[in-house]
């Protein structure tokens, strides 16, 4: 009887304060200990009285605290809270009835007000309620940080630019490291290139010989801008420009009005970084025609996007990289090279995608694409046809999701591992005259929706969005 009275007194003591207000003893799966006669209710996060238990002589022993749940899987444990500061998740930001709950999806004003309170409590920028969770933005005007002015509609987060069209002043977005200036770090990725950082080149402009590089007084030649130490060089128009050399750790980005509006007569990269975008490269009529169109050596970095490389049957290389740290080629057509269209010896993390190589190679080196010692690289979504050979792997190399057919044998050399590579059976547009080898027919259904998606490859050579199950080759056929 004495023990029973003690228990009644204790239960009253822990549930009632001197003036009659009740309170609870908190617990959790990680701290489940409760006083004698109570157990931890994991769903309320508090100790609860146990029902009266018969003496041990009549029932099996029941411990005061149930065993811990299996914590190897997430447990449905609502957080116990006093205000928004106790609700750490943006998906459960509202403290209501001492439990963290989603923000209101019924009233936008109420939901946004709840998220404003939560974001202030957690020094967060997620102050807008969307589908019960606090997010950063619905539209671009919700993004107040000038470095991240765009609202990603998939994640409702404010992000930097991802497309050049989002930067109307300079039409150039720092999408990745290949577009950074010498003074930039990776933190600058996502910024629009500032107007004051761009110099202009137009050989057709009157007085360009004494130009200053401004839009009103452009330079005549690209090399002039490079020699002045400029990073961002915008070619306005003007046909063919003289060969350039980038060296001594320089970073240079040359971007033009479109690959059919301006051309460069070759470029050499020596221990430096060069990015060419929306400008073509073609063989010169004089001595430079006997050299590769683009050369990269001694740890340089070469990036080419949306360009035509035309060798006229005389250039001894399209992209020639010997111990070049990295080569990136996206949406590039390489035609009539008196050597492999792309030859990469050494380096790593190369990225050759959405491109086509046609009418290239020699009787000695039978290849449109030649690879040697390239590690952890991506060669995918390309179409290689009409060359003296297909892909020559001089060391074990994997290529994927490509059309390699219509070349003189072999299509793939013995050291190439082809994943989802089509070597016959697809009808391609004739490359006579230099036309793109688009797909005319796929009678065996080898191409459409047969590729594996790769992060970073969202569109094809022509700029068409890739499907969830993309097509093999440089073109999204279906």
């Amino acid at each position: 009887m004495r023990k029973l009275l003690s228990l009644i007194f204790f239960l009253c003591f822990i549930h009632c304060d001197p003036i009659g207000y009740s309170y609870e003893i908190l617990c959790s799966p990680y701290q489940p200990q409760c006083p004698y006669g109570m157990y931890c209710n994991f769903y309320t996060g508090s100790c609860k009285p146990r029902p009266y238990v018969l003496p041990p002589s009549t029932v099996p022993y029941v411990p005061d605290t149930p065993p811990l749940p299996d914590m190897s899987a997430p447990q449905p444990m609502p957080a116990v809270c006093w205000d928004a500061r106790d609700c750490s998740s943006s998906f459960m930001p509202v403290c209501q009835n001492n439990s963290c709950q989603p923000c209101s999806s019924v009233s936008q004003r109420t939901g946004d007000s709840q998220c404003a309170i939560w974001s202030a409590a957690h020094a967060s920028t997620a102050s807008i309620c969307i589908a019960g969770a606090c997010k950063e933005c619905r539209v671009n005007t919700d993004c107040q940080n000038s470095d991240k002015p765009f609202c990603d509609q998939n994640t409702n987060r404010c992000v930097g630019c991802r497309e050049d069209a989002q930067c109307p002043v300079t039409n150039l977005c720092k999408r990745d490291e290949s577009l950074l200036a010498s003074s930039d770090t990776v933190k600058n990725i996502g910024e629009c290139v500032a107007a004051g950082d761009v110099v202009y080149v137009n050989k057709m402009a009157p007085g360009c010989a004494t130009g200053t590089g401004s839009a009103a007084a452009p330079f005549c030649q690209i090399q002039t801008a490079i020699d002045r130490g400029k990073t961002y060089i915008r070619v306005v128009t003007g046909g063919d420009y003289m060969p350039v050399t980038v060296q001594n750790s320089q970073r240079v980005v040359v971007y033009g009005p479109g690959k059919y509006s301006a051309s460069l007569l070759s470029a050499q990269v020596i221990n430096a970084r060069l990015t060419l975008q929306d400008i073509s490269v073609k063989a010169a009529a004089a001595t430079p025609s006997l050299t590769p169109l683009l050369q990269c050596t001694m740890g340089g970095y070469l990036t080419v996007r949306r360009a035509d490389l035309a060798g006229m049957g005389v250039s001894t290389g399209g992209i020639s990289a010997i111990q070049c740290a990295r080569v990136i080629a996206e949406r590039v057509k390489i035609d009539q090279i008196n050597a492999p269209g792309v030859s990469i010896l050494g380096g790593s993390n190369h990225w050759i995608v959405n491109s086509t190589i046609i009418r290239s190679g020699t009787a000695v080196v039978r290849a449109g694409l030649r690879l040697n010692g390239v590690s952890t690289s991506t060669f995918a979504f390309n179409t290689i046809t009409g060359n003296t050979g297909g892909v020559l792997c001089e060391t074990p190399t994997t290529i994927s999701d490509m059309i390699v057919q219509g070349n003189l044998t072999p299509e793939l050399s013995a050291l190439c591992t082809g994943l989802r590579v089509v070597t016959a059976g697809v009808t391609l547009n004739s490359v006579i005259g230099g036309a793109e080898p688009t797909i005319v027919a796929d009678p065996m259904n080898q191409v459409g929706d047969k590729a594996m998606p790769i992060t970073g490859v969202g569109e094809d050579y022509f700029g068409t969005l890739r499907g969830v199950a993309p097509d093999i080759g440089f073109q999204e056929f279906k």
Side-chain angles (χ1 to χ4, degrees), residues 107-369:
S107 168
Q108 179 174 308
R109 174 180 291 183
T110 300
D112 288 354
S113 176
Q114 292 168 335
C115 284
I117 294 172
W118 182 87
S119 64
H122 293 273
S124 170
T125 55
S127 59
I128 292 175
C129 181
I130 298 175
C134 292
K135 302 287 187 177
E136 288 186 335
C137 61
R138 289 190 188 93
V139 294
N140 288 347
T141 53
D142 294 327
C143 300
Q144 300 301 311
N145 186 338
S146 60
D147 293 336
K148 297 180 178 181
F150 304 104
C151 183
D152 186 322
Q153 294 300 311
N154 294 320
T155 63
N156 295 107
R157 293 182 59 191
C158 294
V159 298
C161 61
R162 293 177 176 174
E163 301 294 336
D164 293 333
Q166 294 176 315
C167 303
V169 176
T170 59
N171 197 37
L172 190 61
C173 170
K174 300 179 184 181
R175 297 189 307 276
D176 56 41
E177 287 190 67
S178 71
L179 293 161
L180 296 181
S182 300
S183 58
D184 286 337
T185 68
V186 292
K187 293 182 179 180
N188 296 101
I189 292 175
E191 296 178 3
C192 291
V193 173
D197 293 336
V198 177
V199 295
Y200 294 82
V201 174
N202 183 358
K203 64 182 290 187
M204 305 301 293
C208 67
T210 57
T212 60
S214 67
F219 296 127
C220 291
Q221 292 294 332
I222 298 171
Q223 188 66 52
T224 304
I226 294 173
D227 292 342
R228 301 286 178 89
K230 304 301 183 180
T231 293
Y232 299 108
I233 304 170
R234 187 168 189 175
V235 178
V236 179
T237 186
D240 300 337
Y241 287 85
M242 295 302 293
V244 301
T245 299
V246 183
Q247 56 190 336
N248 299 328
S249 301
Q250 286 179 291
R251 283 180 179 257
V252 174
V253 177
V254 179
Y255 67 113
K259 63 182 181 180
Y260 300 118
S261 301
S263 298
L264 183 62
L265 299 181
S266 77
Q268 188 173 21
V269 186
I270 306 171
N271 188 30
R273 295 173 183 256
L274 172 64
T275 295
L276 299 176
Q277 185 168 292
D278 296 309
I279 185 170
S280 289
V281 186
K282 71 178 186 180
T287 304
S289 65
L290 302 179
T291 64
L293 295 178
L294 297 175
Q295 300 180 74
C296 180
T297 60
M298 297 178 63
Y301 291 78
L302 174 65
T303 300
V304 191
R305 295 189 178 99
R306 299 189 296 270
D308 278 8
L309 274 58
M312 312 294 187
V314 292
S315 287
T316 57
I319 295 177
S320 177
I322 300 176
Q323 299 306 319
C324 185
R326 191 183 190 196
V327 175
I328 297 174
E330 298 177 319
R331 298 175 61 183
V332 178
K333 183 179 81 172
I334 302 170
D335 181 26
Q336 275 195 312
I337 305 299
N338 191 28
V342 175
S343 179
I344 304 178
L345 310 179
S348 62
N349 297 310
H350 304 297
W351 178 265
I352 312 296
V353 300
N354 286 332
S355 297
T356 183
I357 304 172
I358 60 175
R359 303 193 300 174
S360 297
T362 66
V364 177
V365 184
R366 294 182 174 273
L369 174 62

Side-chain angles (χ1 to χ4, degrees), residues 81-88 93-95 100 114 117-118 121-122:
C81 61
W82 297 107
D83 57 34
R85 291 173 296 180
D86 300 322
C87 298
S88 60
V94 180
C95 183
C100 294
Q114 292 168 335
I117 294 172
W118 182 87
H122 293 273

Side-chain angles (χ1 to χ4, degrees), residues 391-414:
V391 182
L392 171 61
C393 300
E394 296 178 331
T395 55
T397 307
T398 299
I399 64 173
S400 67
D401 303 301
M402 293 169 55
I403 297 175
V404 186
Q405 73 166 51
N407 304 285
L408 299 178
T409 56
E411 299 291 5
L412 302 180
S413 68

